[in-house]
Amino acid sequence: MKAAFRNGLRRWISAIAHLHSLSSPSCPAPPFSKLLPPGTGALRSRTRTRRPAGCLAMDSAAGAPGLGRATPAENGTPREEKQPDAPNGVLQPPRRAVQGGTPAPGQPQPGGGGTEVTARGREDGDASSEEPGQGRREEALMAELSELVQEVVKSSSWWERHGVDICIITLSFLLLPAGFLCLRSAHAIPFLAGIVILGVVHHTLTVKGSHLASHNALTESKSWGKVWALFFIELCAAFTAEQATYNHVKMHHGYTNVIGLGDSSTWKLPFLNRYVYMFIAPLAVPVLTPLVALHLLRNVKLKTALRTICFMLLGLYSHYWILLHVSGFRSAWSALLCMLVTRALLAHPYTHVNIFQHIGLPMFAADRKPKRIQLMSLGVLNLPRNALLEWSFGHSLISCHVEHHLFPGLSDNMCLKIKPIVSQYLRKKQLPYNEDSYVSRLRLFLQKYEELMVHAPPITELVGIQ
């Protein structure tokens, strides 16, 4: 008796659904499945997937970011309505990133065209407003990944968390006397060796040291963290610690690739052509850095400004004095020229790294940015392992930049340790994990310079040390 009643009910619901689909040109509403009695899961599934011609199956894709709105076609063929360009000007240049995994419907597309649709979809409407469960899902993914990473951090020793990076910085300090003494030689090879040593040490202290200090990743003590930030950022790098920390940690990391906030706009100089910018302008970085720092001091208190100026002058004059009295330079101009050469030795890769890893990836409006895990997986790119650059800049700026943006408080060595976990997790969850080679990005920026570096959002906030 129950079986006969159930079969009759099924036929009745199927007939009603069929008549509804014939009479309506739009997608049928799915309330029929709610009328089914318990134990009719197969029918519930079939009812959800029945769609008349001219409609897309929107169960899993409705309101998902990156998908266009479906409109009925004249001949019964689904047609996707193009989304209008956002008024804020979302940049979606093509990119040559290699990502793992095949995205599921409704998830961000890791390819060039897919990420373009994703970013434009964010601009047209926030995903959380279209699909409330999407934002909760991304928050749950970030929480799950954080637990996995936290387990690794807790099981790691102090040497792994801080010791390795402190050892690299200490060894760099110990190489300074050898570099200055090599400059005393009248022979070319020892002299060039001194230039290379001092150049690598300078970038290790000013880039790796400053970057770790700005994130308080050198030590677990906040007080010592402030001391190291003043030492590396102001004394060694001739920059202002407060502005560097605010613009890098608060703005760039908090709003990665969000237009007008953390979009790396200050690295774009549209009045320079591609070859001047990529190969000549980096030589001016040692001169521009203290000048920009002095300009930013108008935004800090007088006491802080005086302290910063004193540290900057002490660091620059110490370098100059040692070249004269230890390295044996006989004129001020030769000493200043040596300072410029050593401080600009790795300025080209430093500039390139800062633009390769964010510019050219999807950008978002401030009120339409996705959740953290998707924001970082979409807007950050890893470069391959490189011994020289990772020694001087740190793993977190080269091969572990995605990991660093997801967990900025970790040291370079810890970012390298969690890299397999993060990459496997993002690929497992079908989220982008952007990777590309240095040469490939350089070729892309030379080819697409006008699109990536000239037609850009207006300069708003200084990114600082990246």
Side-chain angles (χ1 to χ4, degrees):
M1 189 69 180
K2 291 183 179 180
F5 174 80
R6 186 176 301 168
N7 292 333
L9 181 61
R10 288 178 181 176
R11 287 193 296 269
W12 181 78
I13 293 176
S14 299
I16 295 297
H18 180 66
L19 290 174
H20 181 82
S21 64
L22 292 177
S23 61
S24 176
S26 60
C27 297
F32 304 109
S33 59
K34 299 181 179 180
L35 299 177
L36 299 179
T40 56
L43 177 60
R44 183 180 292 114
S45 176
R46 288 195 298 270
T47 305
R48 284 178 176 172
T49 57
R50 292 179 60 88
R51 293 293 185 269
C55 292
L56 294 180
M58 302 296 288
D59 283 322
S60 60
L67 296 179
R69 293 185 293 272
T71 56
E74 296 177 359
N75 298 325
T77 303
R79 182 176 71 246
E80 185 178 0
E81 180 184 356
K82 293 184 179 179
Q83 303 286 356
D85 290 336
N88 293 334
V90 179
L91 297 182
Q92 295 304 326
R95 60 191 176 98
R96 301 167 61 92
V98 179
Q99 293 132 349
T102 303
Q107 294 302 315
Q109 306 295 319
T115 49
E116 177 178 355
V117 177
T118 300
R120 292 187 184 275
R122 295 289 183 184
E123 192 72 13
D124 291 334
D126 193 0
S128 60
S129 62
E130 297 180 2
E131 187 177 3
Q134 181 70 18
R136 291 193 294 270
R137 176 184 177 274
E138 293 175 357
E139 292 176 354
L141 291 177
M142 188 64 201
E144 183 180 0
L145 179 59
S146 299
E147 291 180 2
L148 296 176
V149 172
Q150 188 64 25
E151 291 178 2
V152 177
V153 174
K154 289 181 179 180
S155 63
S156 302
S157 63
W158 177 88
W159 172 258
E160 292 176 308
R161 296 195 308 271
H162 304 291
V164 173
D165 295 295
I166 292 177
C167 182
I168 292 174
I169 294 175
T170 303
L171 288 175
S172 298
F173 271 115
L174 296 178
L175 288 174
L176 281 175
F180 284 115
L181 292 176
C182 284
L183 295 181
R184 296 178 60 93
S185 176
H187 300 285
I189 294 180
F191 184 84
L192 292 177
I195 294 291
V196 172
I197 291 174
L198 291 182
V200 173
V201 170
H202 170 76
H203 285 85
T204 303
L205 300 181
T206 59
V207 180
K208 179 183 176 70
S210 297
H211 187 240
L212 292 175
S214 68
H215 288 284
N216 198 32
L218 278 174
T219 176
E220 297 177 0
S221 170
K222 291 185 178 181
S223 299
W224 276 106
K226 294 180 180 179
V227 172
W228 288 124
L230 293 176
F231 177 80
F232 287 112
I233 299 176
E234 297 192 351
L235 186 67
C236 297
F239 205 74
T240 166
E242 280 77 10
Q243 289 295 309
T245 302
Y246 171 78
N247 288 287
H248 177 69
V249 178
K250 301 296 184 182
M251 302 304 298
H252 175 63
H253 273 269
Y255 303 94
T256 302
N257 277 23
V258 174
I259 295 176
L261 296 174
D263 56 9
S264 303
S265 295
T266 51
W267 291 98
K268 300 173 182 178
L269 303 176
F271 56 88
L272 298 178
N273 68 54
R274 66 195 67 201
Y275 298 104
V276 172
Y277 179 88
M278 300 297 288
F279 302 111
I280 298 178
L283 298 175
V285 169
V287 178
L288 293 177
T289 299
L291 294 179
V292 172
L294 293 176
H295 175 71
L296 291 176
L297 290 181
R298 59 189 177 87
N299 298 324
V300 301
K301 297 180 180 179
L302 178 61
K303 179 180 179 180
T304 302
L306 293 176
R307 182 210 66 205
T308 300
I309 293 175
C310 291
F311 276 128
M312 290 171 56
L313 291 177
L314 178 61
L316 293 172
Y317 184 76
S318 298
H319 192 178
Y320 171 78
W321 187 90
I322 294 174
L323 289 176
L324 289 178
H325 296 86
V326 176
S327 300
F329 284 83
R330 298 183 179 180
S331 67
W333 288 110
S334 61
L336 292 175
L337 180 61
C338 183
M339 289 179 62
L340 177 63
V341 171
T342 55
R343 288 172 177 255
L345 184 68
L346 298 179
H348 287 82
Y350 172 73
T351 302
H352 295 167
V353 164
N354 275 281
I355 64 177
F356 288 173
Q357 294 179 321
H358 296 287
I359 298 176
L361 300 178
M363 293 184 179
F364 307 92
D367 58 343
R368 292 292 186 269
K369 67 184 182 69
K371 296 296 183 179
R372 178 177 179 81
I373 189 170
Q374 200 170 35
L375 181 66
M376 301 309 175
S377 64
L378 284 169
V380 187
L381 178 141
N382 283 347
L383 295 173
R385 296 291 302 274
N386 183 289
L388 175 61
L389 296 184
E390 292 196 304
W391 176 278
S392 303
F393 300 163
H395 302 301
S396 60
L397 294 184
I398 305 299
S399 64
C400 303
H401 204 50
V402 174
E403 289 75 12
H404 168 65
H405 267 260
L406 286 170
F407 304 98
L410 298 183
S411 63
D412 288 330
N413 186 65
M414 284 305 302
C415 286
L416 184 63
K417 187 174 181 180
I418 69 170
K419 180 181 176 69
I421 297 175
V422 174
S423 61
Q424 292 174 10
Y425 183 85
L426 293 181
R427 287 173 174 138
K428 178 181 177 182
K429 300 301 181 180
Q430 298 178 337
L431 290 170
Y433 187 77
N434 299 318
E435 292 179 305
D436 203 1
S437 68
Y438 190 101
V439 175
S440 175
R441 298 298 287 178
L442 180 61
R443 186 184 301 114
L444 173 67
F445 273 74
L446 289 176
Q447 293 174 350
K448 304 289 184 180
Y449 182 80
E450 294 288 331
E451 184 177 357
L452 300 179
M453 304 297 292
V454 177
H455 306 298
I459 296 176
T460 53
E461 293 281 349
L462 182 73
V463 173
I465 49 177
Q466 181 128 342

